Amino acid sequence: MHNLYNQANNAFRQANAAKDSDQNERLYEKAILNFEKILEEGQIKNAKLYYNLANAYLLTDQLGKAILNYRKAAKIDDSDENIQKNLAFARSKRVDKIAIKAEKRILHTLFFWHYDFSLKTKFILACIFFGVVCLCTAAIIWLGRNNALTMSAIICGILMFCFLGSVVIEYKIQENQAGGVITAKEVIARQGDGDNYPPSFKEPLHEGTEFDLLENRPGWLHIKLSDDSDGWIPDNSAELI
């Protein structure tokens, strides 16, 4: 697998340097095939591998696959700035501009630390505040009651429980709620799990649109978008994260 990984990286670098568009595309496709082979056959899954695969998909204008693999990389390491930056760039290229509901925007503003900080960062901060609480408690026991130390212990204790609670909530969401990305160029979302149902939206959904999975039936996925609208799409038009 190490040789295959080197071949994929070499193909990717050669594609970046190639001036001929046909050669460029062939080399990116070679890199993609090798990266996918490592993931499927080698069962080696890490953030760097998904990140490299996502970059190759992005450079071949396969936006849905790119966002899908950036999301997989971020699921493993959501503190990596390059992953987050490239994911944000890929999202900016999507056709569908689906707004977040006002209630969710307010929650994102009020609890920015829960939504914006990575899981790793929140865990580290919880540990730091726990350490400060322990130090303050030890100082109070050693030196006697002190208003400043007591207040510091209380504030740090509250912050510790806030970040620890955020870690637990996010972990539970990741564990129990499946998400996905539309990978087809466009797909008509319908009001039921069949082609005879009327469309859910006036326009088709396009590649790169992300969703939460509500239900999975043979051949169909029931999805919810960021504005809480929902519909059914064929399962071959999207991939789950």
Side-chain angles (χ1 to χ4, degrees), residues 135-146 149-150 153:
L135 289 173
C136 290
T137 303
I140 292 170
I141 294 171
W142 183 261
L143 300 174
R145 198 172 188 86
N146 180 288
L149 289 173
T150 302

Side-chain angles (χ1 to χ4, degrees), residues 117-169:
F117 289 8
S118 69
L119 195 62
K120 181 180 178 181
T121 299
K122 288 184 287 192
F123 180 75
I124 291 172
L125 287 171
C127 291
I128 290 172
F129 287 122
F130 174 73
V132 175
V133 170
C134 291
L135 289 173
C136 290
T137 303
I140 292 170
I141 294 171
W142 183 261
L143 300 174
R145 198 172 188 86
N146 180 288
N147 289 337
L149 289 173
T150 302
M151 186 58 66
S152 297
I154 292 171
I155 292 172
C156 289
I158 293 171
L159 291 172
M160 178 194 71
F161 281 112
C162 286
F163 282 111
L164 191 59
S166 178
V167 168
V168 172
I169 291 169

Side-chain angles (χ1 to χ4, degrees), residues 11 15 22-23 29 58-59 71 99 105 131 133 147-148 157 161-162 176 180 207 211 233 239-240:
D22 290 336
Q23 182 186 14
E29 289 296 338
L58 184 64
L59 291 166
R71 286 283 306 274
R105 287 201 302 271
V133 170
N147 289 337
F161 281 112
C162 286
N176 299 320
E207 66 173 332
F211 59 82
I233 59 172
E239 291 188 39
L240 301 180

Side-chain angles (χ1 to χ4, degrees), residues 9-20 23-29 31:
N9 279 332
N10 288 334
F12 186 82
R13 285 193 290 267
Q14 290 170 14
N16 286 338
K19 295 181 179 179
D20 180 74
Q23 182 186 14
N24 175 285
E25 188 171 348
R26 283 196 302 271
L27 287 167
Y28 280 131
E29 289 296 338

